[in-house]
Amino acid sequence: MKKKFIEIIAIIGLLVTMIPFGNVHAAGANTSSNDQSLAKIQKKGVLVMGTSPDYAPYEFQTTKNGKSVDVGMDISIAKQIAKDLGVKLEIKNMDFDSLLVALQTGKVDMVMAGMNPTPARRKSVTFSNIYYQGGQDIVINKKDNKIYKNKDSFVNKTVGAQTGTMQYNMAKKQIPNVKVKGFDKGADLILALQTNKIDGIVMEKPSAEAYVKNNSQLSLINGNFNLSKDESSSAIAFQKGSNTLAAAVNKSLAKIKKKDLINKEYLKDAGSHMKTNTVDTSMWHYWKYFAKGIGYTLLISAFSVFFGFILGTILAFMRLSRNKLFKAVSTAYIEFIRGTPLMVQIMFVYFGIGLVVNIPALTSGIIAVSLNSGAYVAEVIRGGINSIDKGQTEAARSLGLSKNYTMRYVVLPQAIKNIWPALGNEFISLIKESSIVSIIGVTDLIYQLKIVQSDTYRGVAPIVVAMLLYFVVTFSLSKVLSYFEGRMKHAN
Ligand code: ARG
């Protein structure tokens, strides 16, 4: 009873220590009277732009000399802004629905992603002036041309939209009885449409046009949505109250508008890249993407296995120890980690802890996966040690062996045979589960898979390649592990 009580207190303690993280932003927010936002950027010498490059012609990726580069009209505008501010531009890519969180937690200085300055968003961020007006359309399969005319044809049907976007909310509000499915990436939406998971996609007009131009099986209809000016335009988002920065950016935007650079240069440039995307869409052509992805996946896995193993061993011995405090801390940790999803833990490390110390995405990923794995490894080791009959320890101790000696030479050598296979399982799932780090923009295999999808406008082939690569890696590891398992049996 008392033990349980200590455990519960420890878990509550753990939670309470995390609460302050939630408030840091409010304290650090700019107040308009002493707004340092512009001065800060100029002092740093870099302007960090957050975007989600799956939205041609606004922002998308293309291959240049085997490397992926971000292009599109938003990127061109941002380059001009950085030039006018006299700073360097740095681009951080992530899923669209993470962008405003990244802005509020200071991971990026501005968000530029074809974003509509909706009233709801205006409440939490400051927007620049409008720089482009697009409008909203619906993409459908060409074969359905006769069935769908505008938004009202989708009553009782299913449409798709990117998660966290204005289109998602608009479809829900303006089409009676419609089912709206959210997807993270533009390429996933197209794939869902082509495999008839959804009947149409609500998309910004220029982006819809880009997809339709690149895929002869798709076509486009006018949405006929009721739109305010804000809902059909794009603006740049800054942290709330960053008025000096917004004013400086507005100056650049005015200059761009005056010269009509968006229509005369930026959109044309974007168009030229869209064509190069369709030159060679074979998977071989993209081997470098997959190679880079698998490299990161292996890197994260290797580090996390290493740190997870060390942490797990420490936790296991803490939990097995007679010291009540050690035991309670370790139990609370293990229960807490096992009771929360890895995805949430990753976001917590990157965005939450990131409020206090700025940890890069890759490091955050490694930390989160290691912390997570530690809890599971601890249980595997504890289980293995507990599986050794008490009689063994008693016998060894009565022969006069010390406690440590007994653990090292009697219990552990036997326990390791029980631990090994379970540990192997843990490492194999770690390789697969590490794929979630792509949500914070780590360029692992899953991340690359999505890039290849949107670059080639092909849905299934990249998935198959990624699947095979994961299998090759986990299968080889499992072979290596069972080789050692076999050797351990002989050693007996
Ligand atoms: N305009 C829409 C919005 O603000 C969607 C923008 C999506 N952008 C992107 N880069 N994927 O909600």
Side-chain angles (χ1 to χ4, degrees), residues 51-55 58-59 74 96 99 112-118 121 136 162 164-167 184 204 233-234:
T51 194
S52 169
D54 52 4
Y55 214 57
Y58 293 85
E59 48 266 322
D74 283 355
F96 184 78
L99 285 169
M112 214 177 165
M115 182 175 273
N116 310 117
T118 59
R121 287 177 183 151
Q136 311 294 345
Q162 197 172 22
T165 60
M166 174 266 186
Q167 285 84 359
D184 282 342
E204 212 116 20
S233 322
S234 317

Side-chain angles (χ1 to χ4, degrees), residues 100 103 111 115-130 230 233-243 246-247 249-250 253:
L100 289 184
L103 181 65
V111 167
M115 182 175 273
N116 310 117
T118 59
R121 287 177 183 151
R122 279 192 190 278
K123 278 193 192 139
S124 50
V125 297
T126 292
F127 277 104
S128 71
N129 292 337
I130 284 165
D230 276 356
S233 322
S234 317
I236 308 171
F238 307 97
Q239 263 189 16
K240 186 96 184 155
S242 303
N243 298 327
V249 168
N250 281 336
L253 291 179

Side-chain angles (χ1 to χ4, degrees), residues 17-38:
T17 46
M18 286 175 172
I19 290 174
F21 289 123
N23 292 326
V24 174
H25 162 241
N30 292 313
T31 51
S32 46
S33 52
N34 64 347
D35 169 32
Q36 296 293 319
S37 51
L38 178 61

